[in-house]
Amino acid sequence: MVIIRSLVGNFSLIRPSLLGRNHCTVMSRRLHANRTVGVDKNVWVEFTQLAADYKAVNLGQGFPDFSPPQFVQDAFCKAVSGGPSMHQYTRAFGHPRLVKSLAKFFSRVVGHEIDAFEDILVTVGAYQALFCAFQALIDDGDEVIIVEPFFDCYQPMVLMAGGNAVYVPLRPKEGSAVLSSGDWVLSAEELSSKITPRTKAIVINTPNNPLGKVYQMEELQMIADLCLKHDLLCFSDEVYEWLTYDGAKHVKIASLPGMWERTITVGSAGKTFSATGWKVGWAISSGHIIKHMKIVHQNSVYHCATAAQEAVASGFEREYELFGTPESYFQQLPAVLHHKRQKLASCLQRVGLQPVMPEGGYFMITDISSVKVDLNDESTKDESYDFRFVKWLITEKGLATIPVSAFFSPEHSKEFDKYIRFCFVKEDSTLDAAEDILKKWSQKK
Ligand code: PMP
Ligand code: GLN
C-alpha cells in the first residue's frame, strides 16, 4: 500500500507539460547519434502533411488514388483468411513463394538464371532494399556517384552509411526546346571525371523520378563500361520498370555483359501493383552481393509482412502466365497512364505551362519561371523558389505538387529550382479537379 501510494504520488508529479512533444530528456552528453545530423529534412513528410492540412487536390506524393487490380486484392484477402501460417513469421530473406515467383519472372527478363534463395532479398519496400544496399556495401569514406535528379533518399542513405555523395546532373540539352525527358542527357565526360580511387558505386534510377527519363541502351552501356573499367558497383533503382510510353523501352543494366555480378536492381510491389501501402520491395543481384545485404536485413527488419508477400507472389505468378498479352497488368497500367499523362500535359499547356513529357514513370515536371506570383510569405523567404512556390500553391490554391530541387544536391539545387513535379497516377476526377484550380487561377491572372 505504501508502495502504491508513493507510485501514485510520483505520477502526480509528472505534469502534462513534461509529457508534451517538446519534453527533452536531460543527458550529460549528446543524445543523438552523428548519423542523424544533416538528414532531418524530408520533402515527403513536409509536403504530405501540408497537403493534408489544406485538404489540397493531391498531385504531390506518388501513390495511386485508385485501388490495386482486383487479382492482387483477392490474393491478399485469400492470404489473410488462409490459415495461421499467413499471420506468422516467414523466411527472413523473403517468403518462399515470393522469392520463387520473382526468380522465375525476372530470370526471363534479365536473361540470367536467378537463384530464388541466393540472389533475392525481399524488403519493406524499395526503400529498405536501398537502405540495405548502402549499409551493406558502402563504408566510411567511400564515394558514391548519384545521377541527378535523384530519388531524394539516396543522399541521406549514403551519408548514414558514412559515404560521400558525389553528384552528376542530367542536363537539359542546350539550344533546343526541352519537350521530353529524353532531352535531358548525361555527359560521359562529366561522369567519368567524377570517378576517383575512392568511388565505390554509381546510383541510377530508370525510369527516373521525377523526370521520367528512360535511359537508352547507349547511355546504360556507357555507365556499364565505366563500372567495368573502374571496378564499381551499380545500384539501379527500377521501381517504375513497367511504366514506359511512346515506345521507350526499359533496359535492365544488370542484363548488359559483365553487369550481373556488380548490379543491385531494386524493385517495388508498391509501384508494380499500385499498392504502395503494402511496402513490399526487393533487391536482386548476384548471391555474393545479396549475402551482405541479408546481414543488414536480418539484424534490423528481419522480414516483411507474410500475407502481403503471399499476395505479391500470386500477382507475379499471374503476370508470368500473361506476360506480353493485353491482359497483363504490366501492359494495362501503362496504357491507362498514357491517357492520364496526356490529360495532365494538355491541362498544363492550356494554362501556359510547358510540360517536360516523361518517357516513363508517373510524374511530369514543368518549368514555372514564366508564372508570376507574389510570394510574399516572410516565413518561407529563405527557402528555394520552387519550395516557396509549391507551398503557395497548396495554401493559396489548394493544389499539391512537389518542388523539383528536392531531387538535386545542395550544389545543384539552385540551377533547378524553377521546376515543379506533378503526379498523374490519379483518378481522372482528381486530374479534373486540378485542372479546374489551374484554369480558375489562369483566368484571374
Ligand atoms: N525509388 C523510387 C525512384 C521511388 O520513387 C520510390 C517511391 N516509391 C521508392 C524507391 C521507394 O519505393 P517503396 O514505396 O517500394 O519503398
Ligand atoms: N516515391 C513516391 C514519390 O516520389 C513517394 C515517396 C515517399 O512518400 N516517401 O512521390
Side-chain angles (χ1 to χ4, degrees):
M1 194 55 195
V2 175
I3 295 171
I4 292 174
R5 203 175 302 126
S6 80
L7 275 178
V8 171
N10 281 343
F11 280 131
S12 66
L13 287 176
I14 301 174
R15 289 191 309 277
S17 62
L18 289 181
L19 294 171
R21 49 203 271 262
N22 294 325
H23 171 56
C24 299
T25 307
V26 180
M27 276 194 97
S28 54
R29 58 210 151 103
R30 199 174 73 171
L31 174 66
H32 58 276
N34 258 336
R35 75 181 66 85
T36 65
V37 176
V39 290
D40 50 333
K41 291 227 159 57
N42 183 294
V43 68
W44 313 111
V45 172
E46 184 176 9
F47 284 93
T48 302
Q49 189 59 50
L50 198 61
D53 290 347
Y54 282 83
K55 297 189 173 46
V57 173
N58 197 350
L59 304 191
Q61 193 184 26
F63 66 91
D65 63 354
F66 47 83
S67 291
Q70 197 58 45
F71 61 88
V72 285
Q73 291 191 60
D74 291 346
F76 206 138
C77 293
K78 193 167 161 213
V80 169
S81 53
S85 67
M86 283 296 120
H87 299 275
Q88 307 306 333
Y89 296 129
T90 182
R91 179 175 170 271
F93 309 123
H95 186 52
R97 182 170 170 192
L98 178 55
V99 286
K100 282 186 211 159
S101 63
L102 288 170
K104 188 170 169 191
F105 189 92
F106 284 107
S107 290
R108 184 162 65 180
V109 179
V110 187
H112 178 96
E113 203 53 45
I114 296 171
D115 186 300
F117 296 96
E118 302 289 321
D119 302 343
I120 297 178
L121 175 65
V122 174
T123 53
V124 180
Y127 259 103
Q128 198 223 338
L130 291 160
F131 187 74
C132 287
F134 287 113
Q135 286 293 317
L137 304 165
I138 301 305
D139 248 331
D140 276 355
D142 285 344
E143 289 175 5
V144 177
I145 297 181
I146 301 178
V147 180
E148 302 174 287
F150 57 89
F151 185 53
D152 65 305
C153 73
Y154 307 159
Q155 178 198 36
M157 286 188 188
V158 171
L159 293 178
M160 283 192 285
N164 295 323
V166 175
Y167 304 96
V168 183
L170 291 164
R171 293 182 192 280
K173 270 186 200 156
E174 270 170 31
S176 55
V178 177
L179 302 176
S180 151
S181 59
D183 295 331
W184 288 57
V185 288
L186 182 62
S187 149
E189 292 72 43
E190 197 173 359
L191 178 57
S192 56
S193 75
K194 298 287 165 111
I195 298 174
T196 75
R198 307 220 63 157
T199 309
K200 182 84 183 276
I202 300 179
V203 187
I204 58 168
N205 170 213
T206 180
N208 173 272
N209 176 9
L211 194 52
K213 179 181 173 72
V214 178
Y215 283 66
Q216 289 173 10
M217 178 61 106
E218 304 76 62
E219 295 171 302
L220 294 172
Q221 190 59 63
M222 179 271 283
I223 296 167
D225 289 344
L226 289 173
C227 288
L228 292 165
K229 180 169 170 206
H230 298 279
D231 192 20
L232 309 178
L233 294 169
C234 179
F235 295 5
S236 186
D237 180 342
E238 302 180 11
V239 299
Y240 302 103
E241 62 191 314
W242 304 110
L243 307 179
T244 58
Y245 315 109
D246 301 336
K249 196 168 151 11
H250 172 70
V251 178
K252 288 187 169 295
I253 194 165
S255 67
L256 302 187
M259 287 305 285
W260 165 257
E261 293 76 14
R262 53 179 71 248
T263 303
I264 300 97
T265 306
V266 172
S268 164
K271 305 297 172 180
T272 301
F273 291 117
S274 305
T276 58
W278 292 10
K279 288 304 282 185
V280 176
W282 52 84
I284 302 182
S285 187
S286 164
H288 80 279
I289 292 177
I290 291 290
K291 77 174 183 201
H292 301 290
M293 295 173 60
K294 284 178 172 173
I295 297 171
V296 176
H297 181 73
Q298 77 195 8
N299 292 310
S300 51
V301 167
Y302 193 72
H303 83 70
C304 80
T306 307
Q309 293 192 64
E310 176 84 358
V312 174
S314 161
F316 270 105
E317 287 160 13
R318 175 189 186 273
E319 289 302 309
Y320 184 86
E321 297 307 326
L322 296 176
F323 195 64
T325 70
E327 288 80 44
S328 162
Y329 191 63
F330 300 164
Q331 302 267 328
Q332 288 173 346
L333 182 60
V336 169
L337 287 175
H338 182 262
H339 154 83
K340 292 183 187 295
R341 181 188 71 146
Q342 197 49 55
K343 189 171 167 68
L344 178 61
S346 309
C347 153
L348 295 179
Q349 276 156 346
R350 272 196 290 276
V351 297
L353 292 170
Q354 184 56 54
V356 176
M357 208 59 158
E359 304 155 282
Y362 45 50
F363 306 108
M364 183 180 292
I365 71 167
T366 187
D367 186 334
I368 47 161
S369 38
S370 63
V371 184
K372 298 285 165 266
V373 287
D374 184 11
L375 300 178
N376 54 10
D377 183 352
E378 273 295 300
S379 68
T380 62
K381 75 175 189 329
D382 295 330
E383 298 183 27
S384 55
Y385 184 76
D386 56 345
F387 272 70
R388 300 188 78 196
F389 185 92
V390 169
K391 283 183 183 172
W392 176 87
L393 198 56
I394 296 173
T395 56
E396 298 295 323
K397 299 289 165 196
L399 176 60
T401 62
I402 296 290
V404 167
S405 67
F407 301 86
F408 283 87
S409 59
E411 293 98 289
H412 296 138
S413 65
K414 191 84 204 78
E415 277 177 67
F416 297 96
D417 72 353
K418 58 175 183 174
Y419 296 99
I420 62 171
R421 188 195 81 171
F422 292 80
C423 173
F424 57 88
V425 68
K426 302 292 175 187
E427 291 282 9
D428 281 356
S429 56
T430 311
L431 298 173
D432 288 339
E435 174 158 24
D436 279 350
I437 292 173
L438 290 172
K439 262 199 209 144
K440 278 193 198 124
W441 171 31
S442 73
Q443 279 155 12
K444 269 197 200 154
K445 279 194 287 172

